[in-house]
């Protein structure tokens, strides 16, 4: 009902009375993976990322992604407080979102003035209910009681007295009286309405991860989010972090031996061995950081996923897409269950922005037209690094002959169609956090000599700006 | 990780479009790692009114490594290769950080257009020469000419 496809997103809050929560939710996202922090770690420069994210990043270029300060993985420190906040927010999110949506719908309903039959039933949308359900009903009920006793929203799954809404809520879907629920096909045990299955699949995996993370808590845990422990038996907690070392100091034989000792695959050329070992160290150490470490078997499975997507068994550049789309990608068929979403994303993009097919053709035509134009076709096909404008550009620049009439102000012309669509429909709540955008052209040596000419801020260029076009 | 984050980014873009980017979508169904974008020429510059198609190739270890972004609509700029569409931008090379995303990178490309670029590391010798010689009128004329020729009215 909300959003074209129900990937939990900070924009879920927009258009509800709780829209400010989108800012809060964004603040709980890691800047690398753009998801809720998973085992947040703080760098020496006091920036925070998921453990695995920052470890991968540091092993790539040794710099903090937020401020580019050099740092080392060994200096990372857990941010337990933030982890608590994330878990508490996640625990409260479904109920809060349910209430927010209910309130929004009630307001809309009131606006339409269509008050239909008074029915007392679950007031929350099935999606939210499905999202709230966590493994083990008794635990859930317990945690909801705890939540309720802490002043959170009332239980949402069972009958709720909707007297607070001010109007009667009419559920969008007719709910069959006999429980026509189906079980999650991924086996998480939740039951939900058939329409809720697809949206649920997206969050099922994430939720289970979050759930398992929250099982073993920091000493400060308040127990609010404790969940049933289903597969503890396989857990052999890895204890010690692997210290990083300089791969260049090892020859291939010794390196291979290191991999064998770690009982990870030891085949392939040296570069691959280094990449694989680095990935393993990052997986391992991030797992050590976690308050809820996974078993070595699970880590090996993740390494295997890496192997198939980025490592030695990843197809070549051309076939990459198919590997990402493989059914077994990420172990749980993640890509497969998201396939529908890809299609929806693409569909939505098409509806939203007009036909992309035309756009593609347009691109092709760019070059065709260059050909028809006659003047530039040669340079377009010309070899070497010198770009086509050569020769001609000199004339255009020095004499301004051909180009002059092109300067004619074109403000009377309508803006490009796409340009007009881009009013921002929301306020700034979800605006991506801005980074210092570095538009320095990649060049070694000479300091950038920026010529701000295309904006023509102060320079009064009469020929061009007589119409006041440039001004500043 | 790459695909999952791309979904997030596309989702965020659809909920919260960028004034710089008219279109961002997978180049064809089912392949998330190759995308097409349409960048709007920055207003009040010689690129104004232009709509530039770019292709984005996302590496499997994204966001650890930057996307490869190229103009497919010819773009006249000292730091853009007119023929191949390659962009000479630090962000796409050494100074990439995983905190950037496709949209913020495309926005940086748009800023590169409005900033005028650096004629000392030219990918486009002609416009760079005009700029170095201080012939800003000539350089702007050249840019307008090519923007109109290739990037208008699409
Ligand atoms: Zn992260
Ligand atoms: Zn930092
Ligand atoms: Zn303390």
């Amino acid at each position: 009902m909300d959003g074209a496809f129900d990937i939990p997103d900070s924009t879920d809050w927009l258009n509800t009375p709780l829209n400010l929560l989108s800012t809060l939710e964004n603040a709980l996202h890691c800047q690398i993976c753009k998801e809720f922090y998973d085992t947040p770690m703080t760098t020496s420069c006091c920036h925070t990322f998921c453990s695995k994210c920052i470890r991968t990043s540091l092993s790539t270029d040794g710099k903090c992604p937020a401020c580019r300060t050099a740092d080392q993985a060994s200096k990372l420190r857990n941010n337990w407080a933030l982890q608590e906040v994330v878990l508490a927010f996640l625990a409260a999110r479904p109920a809060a979102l349910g209430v927010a949506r209910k309130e929004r719908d009630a307001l809309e309903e009131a606006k339409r003035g269509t008050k239909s039959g008074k029915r007392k039933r679950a007031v929350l949308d099935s999606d939210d209910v499905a999202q709230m359900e966590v493994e083990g009903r008794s635990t859930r009920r317990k945690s909801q009681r705890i939540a309720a006793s802490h002043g959170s929203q009332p239980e949402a799954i069972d009958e709720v007295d909707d007297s607070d809404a001010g109007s009667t809520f009419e559920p969008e879907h007719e709910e069959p009286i006999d429980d026509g629920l189906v079980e999650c096909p991924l086996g998480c045990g939740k039951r939900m309405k058939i329409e809720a299955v697809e949206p649920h699949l997206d969050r099922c995996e994430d939720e289970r991860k979050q759930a398992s993370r929250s099982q073993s808590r920091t000493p400060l845990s308040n127990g609010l989010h404790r969940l049933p422990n289903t597969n503890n038996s396989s857990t052999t907690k890895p204890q010690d972090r692997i210290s990083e070392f300089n791969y260049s100091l090892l020859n291939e034989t010794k390196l291979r031996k290191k991999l064998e000792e770690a009982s990870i695959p030891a085949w392939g050329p040296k570069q691959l061995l280094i990449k694989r070992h680095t990935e393993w160290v990052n997986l391992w150490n991030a797992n050590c950081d976690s308050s809820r470490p996974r078993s070595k078997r699970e880590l090996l499975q993740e390494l295997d996923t890496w192997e198939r997507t980025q490592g030695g068994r990843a197809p070549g550049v051309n076939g990459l897409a198919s590997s990402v789309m493989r059914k077994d990608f990420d172990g749980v068929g993640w890509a497969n269950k998201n396939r529908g979403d890809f299609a929806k994303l693409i569909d939505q993009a098409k509806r939203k922005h007009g036909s992309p097919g035309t756009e593609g053709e347009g691109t092709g035509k760019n070059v065709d037209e260059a050909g028809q134009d006659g003047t530039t076709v040669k340079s377009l096909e010309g070899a070497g690094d010198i770009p086509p404008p050569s020769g001609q550009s000199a004339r255009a620049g020095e004499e301004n002959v051909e180009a002059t009439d092109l300067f004619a102000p074109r403000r009377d012309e309508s803006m490009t169609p796409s340009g007009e669509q881009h009013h921002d429909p929301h306020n700034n709540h979800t605006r991506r956090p801005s980074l210092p955008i570095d538009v320095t052209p990649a060049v070694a040596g000479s300091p950038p000599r920026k010529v701000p000419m295309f904006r023509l801020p102060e320079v009064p260029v009469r020929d061009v700006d007589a119409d006041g076009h440039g001004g500043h | 990780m790459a695909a999952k984050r791309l979904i997030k980014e596309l989702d965020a873009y659809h909920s919260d479009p960028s004034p710089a980017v008219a279109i961002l979508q997978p180049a064809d169904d089912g392949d998330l790692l190759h995308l097409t974008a349409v960048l709007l020429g920055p207003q009040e510059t010689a690129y104004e009114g232009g709509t530039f198609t770019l292709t984005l190739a996302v590496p499997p270890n994204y966001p650890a490594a930057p996307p490869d972004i190229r103009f497919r609509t010819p773009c006249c700029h000292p730091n853009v290769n007119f023929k191949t569409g390659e962009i000479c931008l630090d962000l796409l090379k050494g100074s990439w950080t995983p905190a950037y995303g496709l949209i913020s990178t495309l926005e940086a490309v748009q800023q590169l257009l409005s900033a005028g670029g650096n004629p000392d590391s030219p990918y486009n010798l002609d416009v760079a020469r005009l700029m170095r010689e201080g012939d800003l009128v000539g350089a702007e004329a050249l840019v307008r000419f090519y923007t109109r020729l290739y990037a208008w009215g699409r």
Side-chain angles (χ1 to χ4, degrees), chain A residues 176-196:
Chain A
I177 302 198
D178 66 320
D179 158 4
L181 303 181
V182 296
E183 195 158 309
C184 167
L186 293 175
C188 76
K190 295 179 199 174
R191 297 177 60 77
M192 65 206 76
K193 285 198 289 183
I194 187 84
E195 313 95 299

Side-chain angles (χ1 to χ4, degrees), chain A residues 326-380:
Chain A
R326 262 160 62 171
K327 200 177 174 178
D328 51 351
F329 171 73
D330 222 346
V332 217
W334 173 86
N336 199 39
K337 64 192 159 98
N338 278 285
R339 202 185 287 269
D341 282 330
F342 295 171
K344 277 187 228 162
L345 270 168
I346 292 161
D347 272 0
Q348 199 199 26
K350 284 176 181 166
R351 279 199 307 276
K352 199 158 185 168
H353 301 292
S355 162
T358 339
E359 191 54 46
E361 284 163 29
T363 321
K365 263 188 252 152
N366 286 344
V367 177
D368 292 351
E369 262 177 40
Q372 289 157 12
D373 181 67
T375 52
T376 49
V377 63
K378 268 210 176 71
S379 23
L380 270 175

